[in-house]
Each structure stands twice: as C-alpha cells, then as structure tokens.
Amino acid sequence: QVQLVESGGGSVQAGGSLRLSCTATKSTYSGYCMAWFRQAPGKEREGVASIDHDGTTTYADSVKGRFTISQDNGQTSLYLQMNSLKPEDTAMYYCARGTKPGHCGLQSHIFGSWGQGTQVTVSS
C-alpha cells in the first residue's frame, strides 16, 4: 500500500511563497488522482488542488492563480507551489491519493490514502 510523506511546510509572512512536496513510498501513485487538502483549526478539511494521471488539474476558487499543483514524470512525487500566501492559507496541508483510476476532483471521499500532514503558517 502506498505511503505518502509531506514536507516543505513552515512559517512565512503574507505575500511569501512555499513549496510543499509529497513523496510516495512503497509504491507509486501512477494512474491515480492526487490532491492537496488543508484543514485549519476549527474548520472542515477542504480540497485545495488535484491532478489526474493525465495532468488535468482542478483548483479551489480560493487558491486559483496563486497555487500550482504538479508531479514528476515517474508519479512518485507531488508538489504544491504556493505564492502570494495569505493568513487565511494557514492550515495543516495533506496530500492524498485517489482510490479509483478515473475518479478525480476535490471531494475527500475520492481519496483513500493520506499523508500525515505538514503545517503552513502565514503571518500578517
């Protein structure tokens, strides 16, 4: 079973940038949808960005134009480039792998494998 490990979180000031990485171990995630989710204290988990095996991407309205999801050719590493960060982007960020090839989007029920998360804190 694939294991997902996130890295790259940290603390930045508003307007700054961070790049999150998610590495798949024990298996690749080739052929599956991959996504980034986030959860802030006291709030529900929300989908941020997804990328399907064919490279099709989907973004939440709140991050469009600021965040970019990408993956390496071997589909073992997933990235989230976050620019123009805002305090409201502060959250724990998780990467996730879909359960069925061909199913992709920002709904959490699509995903069955999750990483442990990496914290992003944006100060004003």
Side-chain angles (χ1 to χ4, degrees):
Q1 183 176 354
V2 68
Q3 290 189 343
L4 304 172
V5 180
E6 302 97 335
S7 62
S11 297
V12 295
Q13 290 190 328
S17 298
L18 282 173
R19 187 184 193 221
L20 306 184
S21 299
C22 172
T23 300
T25 61
K26 295 191 176 181
S27 178
T28 70
Y29 57 80
S30 179
Y32 292 86
C33 178
M34 293 294 294
W36 288 97
F37 283 77
R38 67 186 181 186
Q39 187 167 22
K43 295 187 177 180
E44 292 187 357
R45 181 172 56 192
E46 64 170 339
V48 174
S50 68
I51 184 167
D52 208 345
H53 68 283
D54 63 358
T56 302
T57 57
T58 301
Y59 294 93
D61 288 343
S62 59
V63 306
K64 280 181 181 177
R66 300 189 298 123
F67 290 11
T68 303
I69 189 171
S70 62
Q71 59 190 1
D72 68 346
N73 289 335
Q75 295 188 341
T76 58
S77 293
L78 181 74
Y79 306 100
L80 185 68
Q81 178 66 43
M82 305 186 295
N83 298 327
S84 302
L85 282 161
K86 304 175 181 179
E88 51 263 44
D89 295 318
T90 295
M92 186 72 79
Y93 283 70
Y94 301 89
C95 69
R97 192 194 80 167
T99 57
K100 296 180 180 179
H103 290 242
C104 200
L106 297 178
Q107 298 79 28
S108 59
H109 69 84
I110 294 175
F111 302 90
S113 299
W114 298 82
Q116 83 290 347
T118 186
Q119 178 68 37
V120 172
T121 302
V122 185
S123 59
S124 57

